Amino acid sequence: MSLDELYREVILDHFEHPRNKGKLDPHDAEEHGSNPLCGDKIDIYLTFGEGDKVKDIRFEGSGCSISQSSISMLTEAIKGKSYSEIQNLIHEFKAMMLENKPNPFSDNEDLEDLGALEGVKKYPVRIKCALLGWNTLDQALSKKFAVLAK
Ligand code: FES
């Protein structure tokens, strides 16, 4: 199986069997994101545990296979991580998608699914799809931690 085929299978698996889908109630933070070009949307719900670590995350949404698989992977990747660890992850993911940096996740068993989205770079119009959930998460965290900093 080629790497492209493997990546396609990983994306399809997350699309057909999304992880952490559904509403999280009660939650400590939520955010809505959408792609105005197509109307695809995502709602993220978060709870926090000790310190600033994400205890749980769930999402609701509808849209293309790239946007929905990307948010599914994201929920698995950030559970249990602190605010600064998640900021690093967002930075690394965006660098891979937008700055043509190589896939930084291939040696990490917990994060390797994220690398499947690297292939999306071949279709620049779909990069926004892959980033929808990440931008929504970024907004949710900015609001949450801006409030805490006051
Ligand atoms: Fe709408 Fe992908 S086509 S987010």
Side-chain angles (χ1 to χ4, degrees), residues 35 38-40 64 66-67 126 128-129 132:
N35 182 345
C38 59
D40 291 355
C64 69
I66 305 295
S67 68
R126 308 303 303 278
K128 264 198 161 130
C129 306
L132 177 58

Side-chain angles (χ1 to χ4, degrees), residues 14-67:
H14 276 271
F15 181 56
E16 290 177 346
H17 309 285
R19 320 311 195 251
N20 303 302
K21 191 158 187 191
K23 194 167 183 179
L24 189 58
D25 228 351
H27 49 262
D28 301 320
E30 70 173 281
E31 189 61 46
H32 175 77
S34 66
N35 182 345
L37 298 175
C38 59
D40 291 355
K41 54 189 183 230
I42 281 172
D43 289 284
I44 287 180
Y45 308 95
L46 295 143
T47 56
F48 294 89
E50 207 178 299
D52 57 4
K53 286 192 175 160
V54 169
K55 187 171 172 198
D56 206 357
I57 173 168
R58 286 178 189 261
F59 78 99
E60 294 180 313
S62 58
C64 69
S65 58
I66 305 295
S67 68

Side-chain angles (χ1 to χ4, degrees), residues 90-109:
I90 292 173
H91 178 76
E92 283 184 321
F93 186 77
K94 287 191 174 180
M96 178 179 82
M97 299 306 295
L98 296 171
E99 296 167 21
N100 219 18
K101 295 262 166 68
N103 169 13
F105 307 114
S106 51
D107 291 337
N108 186 330
E109 210 177 292

Side-chain angles (χ1 to χ4, degrees), residues 43-144:
D43 289 284
I44 287 180
Y45 308 95
L46 295 143
T47 56
F48 294 89
E50 207 178 299
D52 57 4
K53 286 192 175 160
V54 169
K55 187 171 172 198
D56 206 357
I57 173 168
R58 286 178 189 261
F59 78 99
E60 294 180 313
S62 58
C64 69
S65 58
I66 305 295
S67 68
Q68 302 302 303
S69 60
S70 183
I71 180 75
S72 170
M73 292 175 197
L74 174 161
T75 61
E76 288 199 310
I78 71 155
K79 227 182 254 193
K81 291 200 167 48
S82 68
Y83 176 65
S84 63
E85 287 171 328
I86 295 169
Q87 287 299 314
N88 282 340
L89 201 54
I90 292 173
H91 178 76
E92 283 184 321
F93 186 77
K94 287 191 174 180
M96 178 179 82
M97 299 306 295
L98 296 171
E99 296 167 21
N100 219 18
K101 295 262 166 68
N103 169 13
F105 307 114
S106 51
D107 291 337
N108 186 330
E109 210 177 292
D110 294 335
L111 301 176
E112 65 185 359
D113 281 6
L114 294 174
L117 293 163
E118 188 186 18
V120 172
K121 287 194 291 196
K122 281 189 235 154
Y123 313 96
V125 72
R126 308 303 303 278
I127 292 175
K128 264 198 161 130
C129 306
L131 292 178
L132 177 58
W134 295 81
N135 288 331
T136 307
L137 172 68
D138 207 3
Q139 279 172 19
L141 294 177
S142 300
K143 280 188 194 167
K144 170 79 180 164

